[in-house]
Amino acid sequence: DCITSYGLCHFKIKVNGQPDTDLERLSALSEIISQNAPADFAFTLDGNEQFKSITDFQAFWQSVQEDDGLRNFFKSLLFIEQPLHRDIALEESLREQFDQWPDRPPVIIDESDATLESLPAALRLGYAGPSHKNCKGIFKSLVNRQLINDLNREVDEPRYFQSGEDLANVAVIPLQEDLASIVALGVDQLHDQTNL
C-alpha cells in the first residue's frame, strides 16, 4: 500500500541472522517490491549485527545466490550494512577473510562506527565505508567523508562511499537537520556511488 500510495522506490530490509526465516521473508518482500515498485527500485540489506562470523554471513549470502528469485532481486542491492556483531566487526582477522572473498557485495559499518579511528580501521579490513547518522556526530561524519574522498582520489574510482540514515525521525526540526547533514555530506544519489 505504501509503495502504491507514495511511490516508494528505495527500501531498507533487515535480516535477523536466522537463514530459513530470513530467506522466506526476503522471498516474500522481493515479490511485493518487484510487483509494485518502479522497475529501477533499489534496496539495502541491514545485517543489524546478527551474524557471529564472516563464515556465517558468507553461507547466508550463498543461499541467496542459489535462489533464482532472490538472485535476480539482489541485482538491485546497493550495499549491506553491518552484518557482523560489533564485538568482531573490526577484528584484524577479517582482512584476510575479506581478501579471500573478492566478489563480495559492498559491506559498510554502522554500529561499529564509534570513534574517529573506526572508519580507517574498517577500510583497511575491506569494508566499503560507513553510514551517517546525526546521533553519531556530524563532525565525525565530515571527517569520514574527507577520508573517503581522499581515498577515492588515490585509487581514481568510487571504491568507498558513505550512506545516510535518519533513524526514523519525524519532522520538523530533526528531519530538516538530517536532510541538511546529508546534503552537506554529498549523499544524494543511491544509484550512483560516485555521489555517495
Side-chain angles (χ1 to χ4, degrees), residues 95-139:
R95 182 173 187 169
E96 183 178 350
Q97 292 171 313
F98 274 145
D99 286 346
Q100 292 173 357
W101 188 14
D103 60 342
R104 69 187 178 278
V107 180
I108 66 170
I109 59 170
D110 178 18
E111 290 86 357
S112 291
D113 185 22
T115 70
L116 289 173
E117 290 76 35
S118 301
L119 180 60
L123 296 178
R124 279 193 306 275
L125 295 176
Y127 288 94
S131 68
H132 161 75
K133 296 175 184 168
N134 275 7
C135 66
K136 293 196 291 184
I138 182 63
F139 292 109

Side-chain angles (χ1 to χ4, degrees), residues 143-182:
V143 170
N144 285 349
R145 184 60 190 205
Q146 184 64 53
L147 175 59
I148 288 166
N149 289 346
D150 290 347
L151 291 174
N152 282 340
R153 275 193 292 273
E154 283 179 21
V155 298
D156 198 27
E157 63 174 294
R159 184 181 303 172
Y160 307 105
F161 62 91
Q162 185 174 36
S163 76
E165 297 186 57
D166 67 7
L167 288 176
N169 65 14
V170 296
V172 174
I173 293 174
L175 181 59
Q176 290 172 331
E177 289 175 339
D178 270 354
L179 293 175
S181 298
I182 292 299

